[in-house]
Amino acid sequence: RAKSQGGNQASLFEQGYSSRALHFLELEQALRKALDREEFILNFQPIYNAFDGALHGFEALVRWNRPGRGMVPPDEFIPAAESTGLILRIGDWVIDEALRQLSEWRQSNRFPAKLTVSVNVSPFQLANPNLVGLVRQLLTKHHLAPSDLLLEMTETAFMADESRMQATVKGLAAAGVGLSIDDFGTGYSSLAYLRYLPAKELKIDRSFVAGLTTNARDEVLVSAVIALAHALDMTCVAEGVETAEQLEHLRRLGCDQVQGYFLGRPVPASALAETWQE
Ligand code: C2E
Ligand code: MG
Ligand code: MG
Ligand code: MG
């Protein structure tokens, strides 16, 4: 009996493994096609000045409009894109499209003249030495200045190649592109990054914002992160603001910019045009 159970477990394990492998292969195939068929779209979420409520910029967030499956969120395909290397092509597309959109907004005069666009980049993109040249080229193509663009990077447990990443990041900063540390406080070496990353912005992870009004420790941490950012001459942005209380609290603590469902959800550019019609 024990033997047959063992045999059963082994075959279940194999089944599970092969179906996962199959799922992955299928996903890779579909992602390749998605690039050629232009199935990716960007949503944009507003980022506001915490004090006067002025619109500061938009964060571009990628979605995959997968035929027959609906809108696939990034968490469900970015990891596969990273392990297949496709993230480089997807990432290039995201930067190109975000800058194209910003340039269109600039021409429409609908938004503040200094509107910025923030784009998330994977550590695999930062490990690619071509990124600096590509970003420069795309800025020129869309007639934008380096400071119009912010690149958001997370502190990932697995860093692709630390020394190459440092070189790219320095190159981007030297070119005048804004660098932002995303989800600050959740990575394993947040403070170590601050030693060498020439970042101008720090985004407090939404898990801290969520506990702000209910957890005294979260308040201390948020307040300390804001002080840290300011002492390093960085702008502090709070993400995941979901309530008026959280917003009020962040303003009182001196947080510079705010972003979250309470202020505006990520939406396609076409939906923004309706909201911001004068
Ligand atoms: P992130 O950069 O930290 O983006 C914030 C995420 O939180 C977004 O999820 C956004 O929709 C969500 N969010 C915004 N406000 C609120 C709020 O008030 N409450 C809650 N609960 N959530 C909020 P999304 O769009 O699913 O993106 C998830 C992550 O995927 C992003 O986290 C980013 O790390 C990554 N990602 C998104 N777009 C790209 C991209 O173009 N390239 C790369 N490499 N990664 C991307
Ligand atoms: Mg981000
Ligand atoms: Mg974030
Ligand atoms: Mg995140």
Side-chain angles (χ1 to χ4, degrees):
R1 198 170 164 223
K3 198 178 172 188
S4 82
Q5 259 182 1
N8 232 341
Q9 265 167 16
S11 78
L12 274 179
F13 172 76
E14 275 160 29
Q15 259 176 29
Y17 180 80
S18 63
S19 81
R20 267 215 307 279
L22 215 79
H23 171 77
F24 186 84
L25 286 174
E26 193 195 29
L27 190 58
E28 177 179 2
Q29 282 285 329
L31 276 172
R32 279 185 202 285
K33 283 190 195 140
L35 268 162
D36 299 331
R37 297 178 184 168
E38 296 176 37
E39 291 169 3
F40 296 106
I41 71 142
L42 294 185
N43 276 1
F44 294 90
Q45 185 178 32
I47 302 167
Y48 294 96
N49 185 306
F51 303 102
D52 58 13
L55 179 66
H56 189 275
F58 288 102
E59 177 175 0
L61 295 156
V62 73
R63 272 101 185 84
W64 175 16
N65 190 3
R66 189 174 181 186
R69 315 265 181 122
M71 238 13 121
V72 184
D75 292 336
E76 286 175 31
F77 68 88
I78 295 285
E82 287 179 331
S83 58
T84 54
L86 287 168
I87 189 64
L88 296 182
R89 287 175 60 203
I90 298 173
D92 290 356
W93 179 84
V94 171
I95 300 170
D96 192 12
E97 177 58 15
L99 292 178
R100 189 201 62 73
Q101 187 60 64
L102 180 62
S103 151
E104 191 186 304
W105 285 329
R106 286 275 168 88
Q107 278 155 34
S108 79
N109 279 326
R110 177 179 284 127
F111 298 113
K114 284 190 171 165
L115 191 77
T116 58
V117 72
S118 299
V119 172
N120 295 282
V121 290
S122 150
F124 292 89
Q125 290 172 269
L126 295 172
N128 174 14
N130 298 332
L131 185 68
V132 184
L134 178 90
V135 167
R136 281 176 181 276
Q137 190 190 317
L138 291 175
L139 285 165
T140 306
K141 172 182 170 187
H142 296 290
H143 309 289
L144 291 165
S147 58
D148 296 335
L149 174 68
L150 275 111
L151 295 179
E152 298 191 1
M153 46 197 83
T154 41
E155 332 144 79
T156 319
F158 169 70
M159 294 312 292
D161 183 327
E162 193 100 11
S163 62
R164 267 164 67 178
M165 197 197 86
Q166 282 193 40
T168 310
V169 159
K170 287 202 174 111
L172 289 165
V177 173
L179 303 176
S180 171
I181 304 181
D182 206 351
D183 303 341
F184 185 79
T186 56
Y188 75 112
S189 58
S190 319
L191 291 177
Y193 283 111
L194 289 182
R195 293 171 71 195
Y196 70 81
L197 266 186
K200 69 175 203 186
E201 179 181 285
L202 201 156
K203 295 185 87 167
I204 309 177
D205 189 70
R206 71 163 184 265
S207 57
F208 298 104
V209 175
L212 192 57
T213 51
T214 50
N215 183 334
R217 283 188 168 244
D218 280 343
E219 186 186 357
V220 171
L221 289 172
V222 168
S223 160
V225 170
I226 294 170
L228 178 65
H230 289 167
L232 291 170
D233 219 9
M234 295 166 83
T235 300
C236 192
V237 185
E239 59 176 28
V241 180
E242 294 185 350
T243 68
E245 292 73 35
Q246 287 166 354
L247 176 61
E248 190 40 47
H249 216 106
L250 287 160
R251 293 167 89 160
R252 230 182 309 126
L253 293 178
C255 187
D256 305 292
Q257 292 169 20
V258 283
Q259 180 183 9
Y261 292 169
F262 179 67
L263 300 145
R265 289 184 175 256
V267 289
S270 55
L272 283 174
E274 288 160 28
T275 323
W276 258 277
Q277 230 142 39
E278 54 277 68

